[in-house]
Amino acid sequence: MKKWLIFLSFILIIGLVLLVSLFKFRSPEPNIILISIDTLRQDHVGIYGYKRNTTPTIDKIAKEGIFFENAFSSASWTLPAHMSMFTGLPPSVHSVEKKTNKLSKNIQTLTQLIKSKGYKTAAIVTLPFVSAKYGFARGFDKFTEIFKKKSRIVSDNALSWLKTNKDKQFFLFLHFCDVHWPYLPPAKFAEEFGIDTKNSKWR
């Protein structure tokens, strides 16, 4: 009888050691930063074959990680496309296809799911079509709307938030609209493409 007790105790000790090891050495859940650059064209991104060096940072990230050769938006404009991104549903199902629509309370968002896993969540958005009134703020601890602001303002806000939350598990969504609004680029960028900025459009 003693032999069985010793053997059972030994098995329990080994099991306990393995269990502790699994918890001790388990990889932590990753932090997530989701960046949306509204209306950025694929055919003007270096990693997709564009010859001009317009997106060096994006290209670097893509080369070090994973990028999709074939990725398609579920809609042709901001509101339904982003709602599909946050629900995993096509516009015909989430029904946020018009300016007068908003997401049903019965549909869970990506952020709500991530929040339920213990993540700290924040978003900084720059267009009204990604605003709280449509349901995008659900699950976010902090949802900042700074419409039609330049990327520097978005980045500064993001860095400020990260300084406070860098030691926590977090999900951060950043929405940029520089290439969307206005469509006319600043003169210094237009000149890099050989455009004569003396034209009245730049005055």
Side-chain angles (χ1 to χ4, degrees):
M1 187 70 175
K2 283 186 177 181
K3 289 182 179 180
W4 278 106
L5 286 173
I6 292 171
F7 178 72
L8 183 59
S9 298
F10 178 74
I11 294 298
L12 287 173
I13 291 170
I14 293 297
L16 184 60
V17 169
L18 289 172
L19 188 62
V20 170
S21 297
L22 284 173
F23 278 101
K24 185 176 181 181
F25 297 108
R26 186 181 64 177
S27 298
E29 297 297 328
N31 290 323
I32 305 167
I33 300 178
L34 175 60
I35 298 174
S36 171
I37 306 176
D38 211 302
T39 70
L40 176 63
R41 286 172 49 168
Q42 178 193 16
D43 61 349
H44 278 61
V45 176
I47 195 67
Y48 287 106
Y50 193 51
K51 294 180 180 179
R52 285 178 170 143
N53 188 31
T54 53
T55 55
T57 303
I58 293 176
D59 301 340
K60 183 176 184 294
I61 292 172
K63 287 176 181 177
E64 294 176 354
I66 298 172
F67 78 99
F68 294 92
E69 294 182 354
N70 294 292
F72 303 92
S73 176
S74 59
S76 62
W77 66 292
T78 302
L79 174 57
H82 279 73
M83 192 57 77
S84 288
M85 188 164 59
F86 273 89
T87 62
L89 302 171
S92 60
V93 177
H94 65 59
S95 299
V96 187
E97 302 180 84
K98 300 177 181 178
K99 300 176 185 179
T100 53
N101 300 143
K102 64 179 180 179
L103 188 66
S104 167
K105 292 181 179 179
N106 297 322
I107 297 177
Q108 186 181 45
T109 66
L110 169 68
T111 314
Q112 288 174 306
L113 177 60
I114 293 175
K115 177 68 178 174
S116 71
K117 303 299 181 181
Y119 277 71
K120 192 77 174 176
T121 57
I124 304 170
V125 301
T126 55
L127 281 179
F129 293 130
V130 197
S131 68
K133 72 176 184 178
Y134 295 111
F136 286 105
R138 293 182 196 172
F140 282 107
D141 297 311
K142 185 176 182 180
F143 193 85
T144 305
E145 299 175 342
I146 46 175
F147 299 147
K148 298 181 182 179
K149 298 298 183 181
K150 295 297 182 182
S151 58
R152 174 55 61 188
I153 297 174
V154 177
S155 298
D156 287 346
N157 274 268
L159 289 172
S160 177
W161 186 86
L162 285 169
K163 284 180 181 178
T164 305
N165 297 278
K166 63 182 180 180
D167 296 325
K168 303 170 185 175
Q169 287 183 334
F170 64 80
F171 168 54
L172 176 62
F173 171 55
L174 304 177
H175 176 266
F176 295 92
C177 68
D178 295 61
V179 296
H180 182 294
W181 192 277
Y183 287 112
L184 192 65
K188 65 177 182 178
F189 294 121
E191 289 168 0
E192 290 183 15
F193 285 81
I195 298 174
D196 181 9
T197 57
K198 295 178 181 178
N199 185 298
S200 60
K201 291 189 295 184
W202 274 270
R203 291 178 184 175

